[in-house]
């Protein structure tokens, strides 16, 4: 199994939301967040299928206000057996967020925008 395939499987099998750790899916798009309390170490996502020029970015929503926290980043196309997906991740280095902030991902080639609530 390739390293990227292992990463995909770990993202897909993550536990239920707890503090800054979460794994959620909306349609063809998934989001995985790793951290503790209000601090996020890593965030990443995937989109089912391949495509050309697939990109993603992270944003937050707090009290109804949206803020982009990353720029668009090219996703890596991955094939694991018969499964095809596009994968992207960010090292957020323990970035702190306000309690109740929603951390979300969007892909330029898919409609789903899953979000994970960052809380104590």
């Amino acid at each position: 199994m390739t390293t990227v395939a292992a990463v995909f499987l770990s993202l897909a099998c993550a536990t239920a939301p707890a503090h800054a750790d979460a794994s959620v899916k909306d349609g063809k798009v998934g989001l995985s967040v790793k951290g503790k309390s209000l601090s996020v170490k890593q965030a990443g996502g995937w989109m089912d299928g391949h495509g050309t020029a697939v990109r993603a970015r992270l944003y937050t929503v707090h009290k109804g206000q949206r803020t982009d926290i990353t720029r668009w980043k090219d996703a890596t196309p991955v094939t694991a057996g018969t499964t095809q997906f596009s994968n992207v991740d960010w090292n957020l280095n323990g970035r702190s967020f306000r309690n109740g902030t929603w951390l979300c991902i969007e892909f330029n080639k898919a409609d789903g925008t899953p979000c994970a609530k960052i809380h104590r």
Side-chain angles (χ1 to χ4, degrees):
M1 177 182 297
T2 67
T3 302
V4 177
V7 169
F8 170 71
L9 290 175
S10 70
L11 290 174
C13 299
T15 60
H19 305 291
D21 281 353
S23 181
V24 291
K25 189 169 182 183
D26 180 11
K28 295 173 56 172
V29 177
L31 168 68
S32 178
V33 179
K34 299 291 181 192
K36 185 175 181 180
S37 189
L38 303 178
S39 177
V40 176
K41 292 180 183 178
Q42 296 176 313
W46 66 93
M47 180 190 84
D48 292 341
H50 288 174
T52 56
V54 175
R55 299 181 302 150
R57 67 179 167 189
L58 295 174
Y59 65 93
T60 59
V61 177
H62 184 74
K63 295 185 178 180
Q65 183 175 4
R66 177 187 163 138
T67 304
D68 293 335
I69 63 167
T70 65
R71 294 179 184 210
W72 287 104
K73 182 176 183 177
D74 292 335
T76 303
V78 178
T79 301
T82 59
T83 303
Q84 294 184 334
F85 60 96
S86 299
N87 187 60
V88 64
D89 58 64
W90 292 269
N91 183 353
L92 297 179
N93 298 313
R95 182 173 176 165
S96 291
F97 293 91
R98 291 176 285 192
N99 190 43
T101 297
W102 290 91
L103 179 61
C104 308
I105 191 168
E106 69 177 321
F107 279 81
N108 65 332
K109 302 282 183 166
D111 291 332
T113 56
C115 297
K117 188 173 187 177
I118 308 301
H119 61 90
R120 289 188 164 87

